[in-house]
Amino acid sequence: MSLIKGETGYWETVIGLEVHAQVVSQAKLFSGAPTAFGAEPNTQVSLVDAAMPGMLPVINRYCVEQAVRTGLGLKARINLHSVFDRKNYFYADLPAGYQISQYKQPVVGEGAIVLDMKDGENREVGIERLHLEQDAGKSLHDQHPTQSYIDLNRAGVALMEIVSKPDMRNADEAAAYLTKLRSILRYLGTCDGNMEEGSMRCDVNVSVRRPGGELGTRCEIKNVNSIRFVRQAIEYEARRQIGIIEDGGTIDQETRLFDAVRGETRSMRSKEEAHDYRYFPDPDLLPLEFDQAYVDDLAATLPELPDDKKARFVRDYGISVYDAGVMVAERETAEFFEAVAKGRDPKLAVNWVMGDFFAMLNR
């Protein structure tokens, strides 16, 4: 068990992650506008994305397929009936004044991810749900000294929000979770996992408690865009909360931002509850319905995923569990290793790939 020593004894950190993964698709979730990264501002915006009067959303079937395939890859329950809701809030880069999301009836239910820890142990982290939603636009604050500009290229892009259960207990587990999730998404081809470009972002929920005690009040750290920053945010936030409680204070449930320059979190706003968003079923979209045969057909298209490939490498090539884990971390590396090992000593092949070849790539 990972515990933090405070002034008055030991504390346990409880962590849950909400990952926003951009769906690999050439069109947005409810419009035909393109999704390419790096286009000139406001050049990939349809009338639907801009929320012009009378425009109606039309579901992108391929984005639904990508969400179902992701759910299958996470060994999760696929819900044959799901509903799109309006999540109401007002912000400059949300033209309609609401986001089309899913609330009580998401497309994917509970699943699990097995973490490969450095000590060789495996840890299972539960998946609470995966739901589809549209992204908001982007506010640009560095274009003018007194004004903010709005870029709607990202508005309407399909996101999968993948919500974990609060099963992680330290920053190492959170980093392993994100690394494994990104690997699965890349194997499936449903998200490119590029955190630098914002196609995979993470909200980090952190609370502290006495070991095995009641859950504490959580704070949510929004839009952390690298695994290194997730680690730093968790470690800082846990220490901050412990310090407040030990000084006799209480933790406010709030949304915070991570300052990567200072390595600390700071308050952004009080944390909203679900009722603050006034969710209701979107009147312009019918419930999403499909049958088990549709799910089975998609399941038949799944590639061999990292855990299965790792077990096969250990069994068929006789390499260690650790070496197999390194080889399968990225799909391209696994395919390259198999090509190298064909007709050769697998242990020599893995040593060459991990040694000389990786060193050459780094240079």
Side-chain angles (χ1 to χ4, degrees):
M1 183 181 290
S2 298
L3 299 177
I4 299 175
K5 191 175 189 304
E7 295 292 330
T8 62
Y10 287 93
W11 297 84
E12 182 179 39
T13 310
V14 179
I15 303 157
L17 301 180
E18 301 170 17
V19 173
H20 294 83
Q22 181 176 322
V23 176
V24 171
S25 169
Q26 293 184 353
K28 296 182 180 180
L29 184 55
F30 299 112
S31 82
T35 60
F37 177 78
E40 286 296 308
N42 296 308
T43 59
Q44 300 187 156
V45 188
S46 76
L47 297 176
V48 174
D49 308 323
M52 290 297 170
M55 295 296 103
L56 296 175
V58 178
I59 189 72
N60 180 336
R61 180 188 179 97
Y62 183 68
C63 291
V64 175
E65 291 180 6
Q66 292 284 65
V68 173
R69 293 178 79 247
T70 301
L72 291 167
L74 297 174
K75 306 291 192 292
R77 185 184 74 249
I78 307 301
N79 296 322
L80 303 182
H81 173 93
S82 61
V83 175
F84 283 102
D85 300 279
R86 289 189 181 180
K87 180 182 182 181
N88 296 274
Y89 62 96
F90 298 95
Y91 206 70
D93 56 21
L94 192 70
Y98 61 83
Q99 176 190 40
I100 301 177
S101 182
Q102 294 185 307
Y103 177 39
K104 289 188 175 178
Q105 300 180 74
V107 65
V108 176
E110 293 187 346
I113 289 181
V114 177
L115 308 187
D116 308 310
M117 304 307 296
K118 288 184 177 178
D119 59 8
E121 293 294 312
N122 290 333
R123 281 268 289 113
E124 184 170 288
V125 172
I127 300 293
E128 184 71 40
R129 58 188 279 145
L130 177 157
H131 63 258
L132 275 169
E133 63 185 21
Q134 56 180 175
D135 206 349
K138 186 177 183 181
S139 297
L140 307 173
H141 306 295
D142 57 355
Q143 309 290 307
H144 190 278
T146 61
Q147 297 176 349
S148 291
Y149 288 14
I150 302 296
D151 177 13
L152 294 180
N153 279 351
R154 210 166 66 187
V157 166
L159 298 178
M160 298 177 288
E161 180 168 340
I162 303 164
V163 182
S164 84
K165 294 186 177 181
D167 289 347
M168 289 161 276
R169 294 294 176 265
N170 57 53
D172 286 344
E173 291 181 0
Y177 173 88
L178 288 171
T179 301
K180 188 63 169 287
L181 176 59
R182 184 170 62 180
S183 177
I184 292 170
L185 295 173
R186 286 175 167 172
Y187 266 76
L188 292 167
T190 56
C191 174
D192 64 22
N194 193 330
M195 299 185 83
E196 295 78 18
E197 294 180 359
S199 58
M200 184 171 156
R201 315 190 291 274
C202 184
D203 297 343
V204 186
N205 290 287
V206 179
S207 65
V208 297
R209 65 181 180 183
R210 294 297 184 184
E214 292 290 315
L215 288 173
T217 301
R218 66 187 170 91
C219 293
E220 180 183 40
I221 307 158
K222 292 290 285 186
N223 286 332
V224 188
N225 66 352
S226 86
I227 294 175
R228 179 166 62 94
F229 292 161
V230 167
R231 280 179 174 277
Q232 293 175 7
I234 290 169
E235 289 169 356
Y236 175 86
E237 182 61 19
R239 289 283 183 187
R240 184 190 75 85
Q241 292 184 21
I242 291 168
I244 290 173
I245 296 169
E246 290 191 327
D247 286 343
T250 57
I251 303 301
D252 296 324
Q253 184 170 328
E254 62 180 351
T255 299
R256 300 178 67 84
L257 291 175
F258 178 66
D259 186 328
V261 176
R262 296 185 176 183
E264 62 186 31
T265 67
R266 63 173 187 267
S267 183
M268 180 181 175
R269 60 176 183 264
S270 61
K271 174 64 179 164
E272 299 92 343
E273 302 289 352
H275 62 77
D276 294 319
Y277 291 116
R278 305 189 337 274
Y279 281 99
F280 64 88
D282 192 296
D284 295 329
L285 289 161
L286 291 169
L288 199 56
E289 308 252 9
F290 35 77
D291 57 24
Q292 189 60 44
Y294 170 80
V295 176
D296 294 341
D297 287 345
L298 290 176
T301 70
L302 297 188
E304 185 181 36
L305 292 172
D307 287 344
D308 296 330
K309 195 179 287 289
K310 177 180 172 183
R312 181 171 64 81
F313 279 13
V314 171
R315 182 184 69 244
D316 293 354
Y317 293 109
I319 61 177
S320 70
V321 172
Y322 172 81
D323 288 349
V326 174
M327 290 298 98
V328 305
E330 296 288 347
R331 185 174 181 174
E332 294 82 0
T333 304
E335 291 171 353
F336 182 72
F337 163 72
E338 291 217 82
V340 170
K342 190 173 183 180
R344 297 184 174 93
D345 182 327
K347 293 179 182 178
L348 286 177
V350 79
N351 289 339
W352 179 80
V353 172
M354 289 174 61
D356 294 349
F357 184 69
F358 280 0
M360 183 186 71
L361 290 180
N362 287 334
R363 286 198 300 274

